[in-house]
Amino acid sequence: MNKTDQAMARIDSRMRQAFVHTVGQALDTDPRLAVVTAVISSSSFDQARQRHPGRVIDVGIREQCLIGVAGGLALTGMRPVVHSYAPFLVERPFEQIKLDLGHQDVGAVLVSIGGSYDDPVWRRTHQAPGDVALLDTLPGWTVHVPGHPDEVEPLLRSALAADGRAYVRLSSRTNASPLTGRSGFHVVKQGRSGVLLAVGPTLDAALRATEQTDMTVLYAATVRPFDEAGLRSAVLAADRADVIVVEPYLAGTSAHLVSAALSDIPHRIRLLGVRRDVEIRAYGDPADHDALHGLDAASIRALVRTERH
């Protein structure tokens, strides 16, 4: 087994399986679709490649080319689905994303695996906590962060059916149960002493952290566009305009959007996510990294208790 196969065996997850299955089916019914890979997950589309040899393309280990090919396909009217680890999909070819997709104003669906640190044995090269923040520097992106495998298909199908630029951030980390079928932020728990917004796979830890509190807990699987109305409604219904944002990527990524949504409401924001002040140079497992970054239930609970006093 080569290194790529070993990596995929470790990171293979139900979310990734749902992605492969959904796109494989969609290729059979939508002639606009094309899949573009750069070795990662290429073999997962072998059957689809046999059925649609001209629409399942692997470019080798050439991530800039990956996006360039997608841009070219989009210019011909195709709907490219582009896939790799988050750092190889967003960070390494970011200039091509900016120019070949954004500047040319063409659409594509970027689907990543790896999250911020799902596979820490490969260390920093396979980690991308800044991916959503990077895409925030470009206009016109829809960003989905599913928290359960059953959320992948509906989010992905909505992205495939659209024409714009979408990023679907898959992870091997999941919540126990899915929340699907509605757009915007979901009210998972109603309370009066502030609002906690949990993004994607952070929901279960957030619920454990707030189970003895009277806080409202909102859940977001689609973070761009940002549901300003949903956040405002939850804050206005509470006795305290205190907002805690728990994101599975760079801490503070959504701070500017929370502030904009509440610009006319005196409020306080606390931001949890991957730390900006330190780079973790250790292996461990994802749960160890959660604890180091304050994204485990105990750390969130400690912050909630501090905010209540």
Side-chain angles (χ1 to χ4, degrees):
M1 183 179 288
N2 62 35
K3 288 185 176 180
T4 298
D5 291 336
Q6 291 171 356
M8 295 314 303
R10 272 194 301 273
I11 202 169
D12 198 14
S13 67
R14 289 176 57 206
M15 283 197 197
R16 177 176 164 273
Q17 293 166 12
F19 154 64
V20 172
H21 175 73
T22 300
V23 173
Q25 284 190 332
L27 281 165
D28 295 337
T29 59
D30 188 346
R32 295 188 313 156
L33 295 184
V35 174
V36 191
T37 59
V39 177
I40 300 297
S41 297
S42 177
S43 62
S44 298
F45 290 98
D46 281 348
Q47 292 183 4
R49 183 180 290 105
Q50 292 175 4
R51 298 193 306 272
H52 310 286
R55 293 195 285 132
V56 180
I57 303 163
D58 188 85
V59 300
I61 307 175
R62 301 176 180 89
E63 284 80 12
Q64 288 87 347
C65 178
L66 180 76
I67 302 299
V69 168
L73 289 167
L75 284 170
T76 71
M78 300 291 286
R79 182 69 167 156
V81 181
V82 195
H83 173 67
S84 190
Y85 270 86
F88 309 148
L89 185 65
V90 176
E91 293 179 327
R92 185 172 295 173
F94 183 70
E95 182 179 11
Q96 283 69 40
I97 292 174
K98 179 180 72 175
L99 299 178
D100 297 353
L101 298 178
H103 188 62
Q104 304 220 72
D105 197 19
V106 293
V109 181
L110 275 55
V111 183
S112 73
I113 52 172
S116 292
Y117 41 72
D118 281 2
D119 202 15
V121 68
W122 292 105
R123 305 189 76 166
R124 197 70 170 104
T125 59
H126 286 57
Q127 299 175 9
D131 53 350
V132 177
L134 266 177
L135 290 177
D136 266 353
T137 67
L138 304 175
W141 281 88
T142 296
V143 177
H144 301 296
V145 187
H148 187 277
D150 290 351
E151 296 173 13
V152 173
E153 181 173 352
L155 292 173
L156 187 55
R157 287 197 180 276
S158 71
L160 297 177
D163 295 315
R165 293 177 290 279
Y167 178 49
V168 184
R169 191 183 204 261
L170 305 182
S171 176
S172 61
R173 324 297 300 286
T174 73
N175 301 314
S177 302
L179 284 170
T180 58
R182 291 175 293 165
S183 60
F185 296 166
H186 300 237
V187 179
V188 181
K189 177 175 176 285
Q190 188 75 55
R192 305 285 299 181
S193 61
V195 176
L196 186 150
L197 172 61
V199 174
T202 68
L203 177 61
D204 279 2
L207 287 174
R208 289 194 299 273
T210 58
E211 59 189 359
Q212 301 299 321
T213 74
D214 187 35
M215 292 190 74
T216 290
V217 176
L218 300 179
Y219 173 67
T222 298
V223 293
R224 305 291 185 273
F226 190 82
D227 182 12
E228 293 190 6
L231 178 62
R232 284 179 61 86
S233 177
V235 169
L236 289 171
D239 294 331
R240 297 169 56 178
D242 294 344
V243 179
I244 298 174
V245 182
V246 186
E247 301 174 294
Y249 32 78
L250 200 63
T253 295
S254 298
H256 65 296
L257 295 167
V258 175
S259 295
L262 305 178
S263 60
D264 60 333
I265 303 172
H267 62 279
R268 181 171 61 171
I269 309 175
R270 293 300 300 270
L271 305 163
L272 289 178
V274 178
R275 292 170 58 182
R276 294 171 177 261
D277 61 334
V278 64
E279 183 171 306
I280 306 301
R281 295 180 171 87
Y283 290 94
D285 59 33
D288 295 324
H289 287 254
D290 281 348
L292 285 166
H293 291 290
L295 287 170
D296 60 317
S299 299
I300 300 171
R301 186 180 300 112
L303 176 63
V304 169
R305 287 174 176 170
T306 299
E307 291 298 293
R308 294 171 66 198
H309 297 290

mmCIF file of all heavy atoms in Angstrom, residues 134-154:
data_model
loop_
_atom_site.group_PDB
_atom_site.id
_atom_site.type_symbol
_atom_site.label_atom_id
_atom_site.label_comp_id
_atom_site.label_asym_id
_atom_site.label_seq_id
_atom_site.Cartn_x
_atom_site.Cartn_y
_atom_site.Cartn_z
ATOM 1 N N LEU A 134 -9.669 32.039 4.148
ATOM 2 C CA LEU A 134 -9.128 32.402 2.839
ATOM 3 C C LEU A 134 -10.245 32.663 1.833
ATOM 4 O O LEU A 134 -10.222 33.662 1.107
ATOM 5 C CB LEU A 134 -8.221 31.287 2.316
ATOM 6 C CG LEU A 134 -6.729 31.398 2.581
ATOM 7 C CD1 LEU A 134 -6.020 30.169 2.039
ATOM 8 C CD2 LEU A 134 -6.148 32.652 1.962
ATOM 9 N N LEU A 135 -11.212 31.782 1.784
ATOM 10 C CA LEU A 135 -12.311 31.956 0.839
ATOM 11 C C LEU A 135 -13.135 33.200 1.168
ATOM 12 O O LEU A 135 -13.765 33.776 0.280
ATOM 13 C CB LEU A 135 -13.196 30.719 0.804
ATOM 14 C CG LEU A 135 -12.562 29.477 0.162
ATOM 15 C CD1 LEU A 135 -13.511 28.288 0.246
ATOM 16 C CD2 LEU A 135 -12.166 29.744 -1.285
ATOM 17 N N ASP A 136 -13.112 33.618 2.435
ATOM 18 C CA ASP A 136 -13.814 34.844 2.817
ATOM 19 C C ASP A 136 -13.213 36.087 2.172
ATOM 20 O O ASP A 136 -13.850 37.148 2.161
ATOM 21 C CB ASP A 136 -13.791 35.021 4.339
ATOM 22 C CG ASP A 136 -15.039 34.447 5.005
ATOM 23 O OD1 ASP A 136 -15.969 34.035 4.276
ATOM 24 O OD2 ASP A 136 -15.086 34.419 6.243
ATOM 25 N N THR A 137 -11.991 35.983 1.666
ATOM 26 C CA THR A 137 -11.390 37.139 0.993
ATOM 27 C C THR A 137 -11.885 37.290 -0.438
ATOM 28 O O THR A 137 -11.541 38.274 -1.110
ATOM 29 C CB THR A 137 -9.849 37.033 0.977
ATOM 30 O OG1 THR A 137 -9.450 35.937 0.138
ATOM 31 C CG2 THR A 137 -9.296 36.833 2.385
ATOM 32 N N LEU A 138 -12.669 36.317 -0.910
ATOM 33 C CA LEU A 138 -13.183 36.335 -2.277
ATOM 34 C C LEU A 138 -14.708 36.412 -2.252
ATOM 35 O O LEU A 138 -15.351 35.775 -1.408
ATOM 36 C CB LEU A 138 -12.754 35.068 -3.019
ATOM 37 C CG LEU A 138 -11.255 34.780 -3.087
ATOM 38 C CD1 LEU A 138 -11.013 33.431 -3.751
ATOM 39 C CD2 LEU A 138 -10.516 35.888 -3.817
ATOM 40 N N PRO A 139 -15.309 37.146 -3.172
ATOM 41 C CA PRO A 139 -16.771 37.255 -3.176
ATOM 42 C C PRO A 139 -17.433 36.047 -3.833
ATOM 43 O O PRO A 139 -16.835 35.342 -4.658
ATOM 44 C CB PRO A 139 -17.017 38.521 -4.017
ATOM 45 C CG PRO A 139 -15.855 38.563 -4.966
ATOM 46 C CD PRO A 139 -14.679 38.019 -4.190
ATOM 47 N N GLY A 140 -18.686 35.824 -3.448
ATOM 48 C CA GLY A 140 -19.526 34.897 -4.194
ATOM 49 C C GLY A 140 -19.445 33.439 -3.819
ATOM 50 O O GLY A 140 -19.964 32.591 -4.553
ATOM 51 N N TRP A 141 -18.836 33.103 -2.680
ATOM 52 C CA TRP A 141 -18.693 31.693 -2.309
ATOM 53 C C TRP A 141 -19.777 31.268 -1.327
ATOM 54 O O TRP A 141 -20.050 31.954 -0.334
ATOM 55 C CB TRP A 141 -17.329 31.419 -1.685
ATOM 56 C CG TRP A 141 -16.258 31.302 -2.719
ATOM 57 C CD1 TRP A 141 -15.502 32.307 -3.243
ATOM 58 C CD2 TRP A 141 -15.851 30.103 -3.385
ATOM 59 N NE1 TRP A 141 -14.636 31.814 -4.191
ATOM 60 C CE2 TRP A 141 -14.831 30.462 -4.311
ATOM 61 C CE3 TRP A 141 -16.238 28.772 -3.311
ATOM 62 C CZ2 TRP A 141 -14.201 29.531 -5.131
ATOM 63 C CZ3 TRP A 141 -15.610 27.845 -4.128
ATOM 64 C CH2 TRP A 141 -14.604 28.225 -5.029
ATOM 65 N N THR A 142 -20.385 30.124 -1.592
ATOM 66 C CA THR A 142 -21.236 29.437 -0.629
ATOM 67 C C THR A 142 -20.373 28.378 0.065
ATOM 68 O O THR A 142 -19.614 27.674 -0.593
ATOM 69 C CB THR A 142 -22.421 28.746 -1.327
ATOM 70 O OG1 THR A 142 -23.241 29.751 -1.938
ATOM 71 C CG2 THR A 142 -23.249 27.936 -0.341
ATOM 72 N N VAL A 143 -20.486 28.291 1.393
ATOM 73 C CA VAL A 143 -19.645 27.359 2.153
ATOM 74 C C VAL A 143 -20.535 26.474 3.022
ATOM 75 O O VAL A 143 -21.312 26.963 3.842
ATOM 76 C CB VAL A 143 -18.634 28.111 3.036
ATOM 77 C CG1 VAL A 143 -17.810 27.119 3.868
ATOM 78 C CG2 VAL A 143 -17.717 28.988 2.188
ATOM 79 N N HIS A 144 -20.413 25.163 2.814
ATOM 80 C CA HIS A 144 -21.147 24.168 3.595
ATOM 81 C C HIS A 144 -20.167 23.406 4.487
ATOM 82 O O HIS A 144 -19.107 22.961 4.023
ATOM 83 C CB HIS A 144 -21.848 23.165 2.680
ATOM 84 C CG HIS A 144 -22.820 23.775 1.717
ATOM 85 N ND1 HIS A 144 -23.963 24.437 2.117
ATOM 86 C CD2 HIS A 144 -22.819 23.816 0.350
ATOM 87 C CE1 HIS A 144 -24.635 24.852 1.062
ATOM 88 N NE2 HIS A 144 -23.958 24.492 -0.027
ATOM 89 N N VAL A 145 -20.535 23.232 5.754
ATOM 90 C CA VAL A 145 -19.712 22.487 6.712
ATOM 91 C C VAL A 145 -20.608 21.446 7.385
ATOM 92 O O VAL A 145 -21.086 21.650 8.504
ATOM 93 C CB VAL A 145 -19.085 23.437 7.758
ATOM 94 C CG1 VAL A 145 -18.097 22.672 8.651
ATOM 95 C CG2 VAL A 145 -18.390 24.612 7.091
ATOM 96 N N PRO A 146 -20.894 20.339 6.719
ATOM 97 C CA PRO A 146 -21.788 19.340 7.315
ATOM 98 C C PRO A 146 -21.217 18.777 8.602
ATOM 99 O O PRO A 146 -20.004 18.604 8.748
ATOM 100 C CB PRO A 146 -21.897 18.262 6.226
ATOM 101 C CG PRO A 146 -20.697 18.456 5.355
ATOM 102 C CD PRO A 146 -20.394 19.924 5.392
ATOM 103 N N GLY A 147 -22.136 18.475 9.521
ATOM 104 C CA GLY A 147 -21.723 17.904 10.796
ATOM 105 C C GLY A 147 -22.055 16.440 10.941
ATOM 106 O O GLY A 147 -21.780 15.839 11.978
ATOM 107 N N HIS A 148 -22.648 15.856 9.897
ATOM 108 C CA HIS A 148 -23.028 14.441 9.939
ATOM 109 C C HIS A 148 -23.065 13.924 8.504
ATOM 110 O O HIS A 148 -23.425 14.664 7.584
ATOM 111 C CB HIS A 148 -24.409 14.292 10.602
ATOM 112 C CG HIS A 148 -24.819 12.870 10.853
ATOM 113 N ND1 HIS A 148 -25.399 12.073 9.882
ATOM 114 C CD2 HIS A 148 -24.726 12.095 11.973
ATOM 115 C CE1 HIS A 148 -25.648 10.881 10.384
ATOM 116 N NE2 HIS A 148 -25.252 10.864 11.649
ATOM 117 N N PRO A 149 -22.724 12.641 8.288
ATOM 118 C CA PRO A 149 -22.723 12.102 6.923
ATOM 119 C C PRO A 149 -24.052 12.260 6.193
ATOM 120 O O PRO A 149 -24.084 12.482 4.980
ATOM 121 C CB PRO A 149 -22.373 10.631 7.134
ATOM 122 C CG PRO A 149 -21.598 10.600 8.403
ATOM 123 C CD PRO A 149 -22.187 11.672 9.270
ATOM 124 N N ASP A 150 -25.187 12.170 6.932
ATOM 125 C CA ASP A 150 -26.489 12.283 6.277
ATOM 126 C C ASP A 150 -26.785 13.707 5.800
ATOM 127 O O ASP A 150 -27.747 13.920 5.050
ATOM 128 C CB ASP A 150 -27.598 11.822 7.220
ATOM 129 C CG ASP A 150 -27.575 10.316 7.461
ATOM 130 O OD1 ASP A 150 -26.813 9.613 6.757
ATOM 131 O OD2 ASP A 150 -28.296 9.847 8.353
ATOM 132 N N GLU A 151 -25.994 14.663 6.239
ATOM 133 C CA GLU A 151 -26.171 16.035 5.761
ATOM 134 C C GLU A 151 -25.425 16.289 4.455
ATOM 135 O O GLU A 151 -25.682 17.281 3.774
ATOM 136 C CB GLU A 151 -25.678 17.022 6.827
ATOM 137 C CG GLU A 151 -26.463 16.969 8.115
ATOM 138 C CD GLU A 151 -25.851 17.833 9.207
ATOM 139 O OE1 GLU A 151 -24.963 18.653 8.908
ATOM 140 O OE2 GLU A 151 -26.262 17.677 10.363
ATOM 141 N N VAL A 152 -24.508 15.398 4.106
ATOM 142 C CA VAL A 152 -23.650 15.635 2.938
ATOM 143 C C VAL A 152 -24.452 15.636 1.653
ATOM 144 O O VAL A 152 -24.329 16.544 0.821
ATOM 145 C CB VAL A 152 -22.509 14.591 2.879
ATOM 146 C CG1 VAL A 152 -21.725 14.738 1.576
ATOM 147 C CG2 VAL A 152 -21.590 14.741 4.088
ATOM 148 N N GLU A 153 -25.288 14.622 1.457
ATOM 149 C CA GLU A 153 -25.990 14.504 0.175
ATOM 150 C C GLU A 153 -26.884 15.703 -0.124
ATOM 151 O O GLU A 153 -26.791 16.280 -1.218
ATOM 152 C CB GLU A 153 -26.797 13.211 0.112
ATOM 153 C CG GLU A 153 -27.522 13.056 -1.222
ATOM 154 C CD GLU A 153 -28.200 11.707 -1.402
ATOM 155 O OE1 GLU A 153 -27.998 10.825 -0.560
ATOM 156 O OE2 GLU A 153 -28.935 11.556 -2.397
ATOM 157 N N PRO A 154 -27.772 16.137 0.799
ATOM 158 C CA PRO A 154 -28.617 17.289 0.444
ATOM 159 C C PRO A 154 -27.826 18.565 0.214
ATOM 160 O O PRO A 154 -28.149 19.343 -0.694
ATOM 161 C CB PRO A 154 -29.578 17.417 1.631
ATOM 162 C CG PRO A 154 -28.968 16.634 2.739
ATOM 163 C CD PRO A 154 -28.164 15.555 2.101
#
